[in-house]
Amino acid sequence: MTSALRPIVVLALAIFFVVLPAQAQEAATATQTPPQMEPSQEDAPTSVPDLVTRCDEEHADSCADLGERYREGRGVARDLVRATYFAGKACNLGDMASCTMAGFAYGQGQGVALSMDRAAAYYAYACRSGDATGCSNLGLAYIRGDGVVKDDVRAAALFREACDKGSSDGCMNLGAAYSLGKGLRRSHAEAARLFGQGCDAGDDKSCYNLGVLYRDGLGVPRDYARAAALFENTCQADDASACGNLAMMIHRGQGVRKDRSGALDMFDKACGLGEAESCFMLGKAELDGKQGRDGNHARAIALLERSLKLDPKASFAGKARKALADARAAASASSAVEDGGVEQR
């Protein structure tokens, strides 16, 4: 499978590098997930009307709580417009986590018009005011050149600042920067140290990246069993790439007992989660009718089409297109045989 340390990824308000299946080499496309906000103060009101009243009275924590509730649909109908409004108001009242939230909203076009410039400005303001996640997300903006001039060195410095301020995602991004040589000298050993630190603290993304390093022997001795265990733990959290990597290791018998049927089941899960190469592997298995399963041309076609739709420019795309053509030809031939076997009247 084609694998690479997944580039820096916004964790809604936090960025992290992630790794795609099989031989890790180059950075992949960044993805984003929602941020985690600190709960409001214990004595803060819990009803939405009370929160609105306190927010109108310029209590930042109440505005922040409302923003989070509307973003998650917790106790209210999910409303990203209101979520972003309250996050912006909380930011103006001095809640820096809400500034980062507002930046994320502008960067995703959630409840407001998409604006990478405004997203970067919110992140920069939050970072200057001490918010570690804001620093980490601003680093992502510099990696991508989103709203700022692309600058890998500046990005790495921001990841380090975020890490020093206690952001687990900042530390993971810094580890990925070391592994990929983004903005500083490449050091897989330092990356492994940072990923291990995050993994020990319970961060699934760090565990996944550490698994790639163990699988490929980058900065640590190659250890397939350790890699498989790390992928399995992350797969349980429904990480598509982790499931795809684990499936390939089961398929090859790397660090685990070789089990082709079990590998297909894992490829099936990974494909369902959106991992393109797993759909290809599963589709090809259906086409070949091997590995203890009967061939199913219709399913093979659907899986191969899904694979190409998910990642039309993947390194395996050429093989997927050929397999798709073969599956269509086989389905057409099978249909012709069936038609020919029907008595004509």
Side-chain angles (χ1 to χ4, degrees):
M1 304 184 82
T2 60
S3 163
L5 279 179
R6 280 185 264 177
I8 323 169
V9 181
V10 178
L11 174 59
L13 297 193
I15 326 170
F16 57 91
F17 283 87
V18 278
V19 192
L20 290 172
Q23 312 121 6
Q25 293 290 334
E26 302 296 331
T29 305
T31 59
Q32 300 184 333
T33 55
Q36 300 299 317
M37 302 280 287
E38 291 297 323
S40 300
Q41 299 173 1
E42 292 183 3
D43 61 349
T46 56
S47 73
V48 170
D50 284 346
L51 286 171
V52 171
T53 297
R54 284 179 57 83
C55 181
D56 289 342
E57 294 171 352
E58 301 194 341
H59 290 272
D61 61 306
S62 295
C63 297
D65 194 346
L66 282 167
E68 182 70 0
R69 290 189 186 206
Y70 277 110
R71 185 178 67 80
E72 294 181 349
R74 178 163 43 88
V76 293
R78 190 166 187 259
D79 187 331
L80 294 178
V81 173
R82 289 188 177 183
T84 303
Y85 166 77
F86 285 118
K89 185 167 183 178
C91 173
N92 291 335
L93 293 171
D95 187 281
M96 291 304 107
S98 291
C99 294
T100 305
M101 173 68 81
F104 177 78
Y106 275 102
Q108 297 293 296
Q110 292 187 349
V112 289
L114 181 72
S115 173
M116 304 313 292
D117 290 347
R118 297 200 71 173
Y122 270 112
Y123 293 148
Y125 179 65
C127 181
R128 284 195 304 270
S129 300
D131 184 69
T133 302
C135 294
S136 188
N137 276 14
L138 183 60
L140 175 61
Y142 275 104
I143 283 283
R144 291 173 156 180
D146 285 343
V148 292
V149 177
K150 183 176 169 60
D151 186 337
D152 290 349
V153 174
R154 175 68 175 140
L158 284 161
F159 295 149
R160 187 179 300 280
E161 182 178 352
C163 183
D164 289 344
K165 288 178 177 178
S167 167
S168 60
D169 294 291
C171 292
M172 196 193 65
N173 279 340
L174 181 60
Y178 270 114
S179 190
L180 297 172
K182 289 282 188 179
L184 33 69
R185 185 183 297 276
R186 176 174 290 184
S187 172
H188 292 306
E190 183 62 13
R193 184 188 70 80
L194 287 161
F195 293 151
Q197 177 180 303
C199 186
D200 288 343
D203 181 67
D204 288 337
K205 301 175 298 297
S206 293
C207 291
Y208 174 63
N209 278 1
L210 185 62
V212 171
L213 297 188
Y214 272 109
R215 183 198 59 197
D216 296 342
L218 299 173
V220 291
R222 175 169 281 168
D223 187 335
Y224 286 135
R226 180 82 187 276
L230 289 164
F231 290 145
E232 182 174 11
N233 287 340
T234 312
C235 177
Q236 289 175 359
D238 287 342
D239 183 286
S241 294
C243 295
N245 278 356
L246 179 60
M248 184 58 75
M249 296 189 79
I250 295 172
H251 177 68
R252 294 171 174 168
Q254 295 176 325
V256 293
R257 182 176 65 85
K258 188 171 184 176
D259 180 355
R260 291 183 173 180
S261 180
L264 290 176
D265 288 338
M266 190 57 66
F267 280 132
D268 200 1
K269 177 177 180 178
C271 177
L273 292 170
E275 206 287 298
E277 193 162 4
S278 291
C279 297
F280 164 62
M281 295 292 291
L282 195 60
K284 194 170 186 308
E286 290 285 2
L287 173 62
D288 295 342
K290 295 178 181 178
Q291 302 177 354
R293 299 188 176 188
D294 294 331
N296 183 326
H297 297 144
R299 186 159 191 255
I301 291 170
L303 287 163
L304 293 166
E305 287 177 340
R306 175 170 168 76
S307 171
L308 289 167
K309 182 177 181 180
L310 287 168
D311 194 350
K313 297 182 179 179
S315 61
F316 59 85
K319 293 180 180 179
R321 290 189 182 93
K322 182 180 184 306
L324 179 58
D326 291 344
R328 287 170 173 165
S332 179
S334 177
S335 177
V337 169
E338 290 177 2
D339 291 343
V342 176
E343 183 180 354
Q344 301 297 316
R345 295 182 180 274

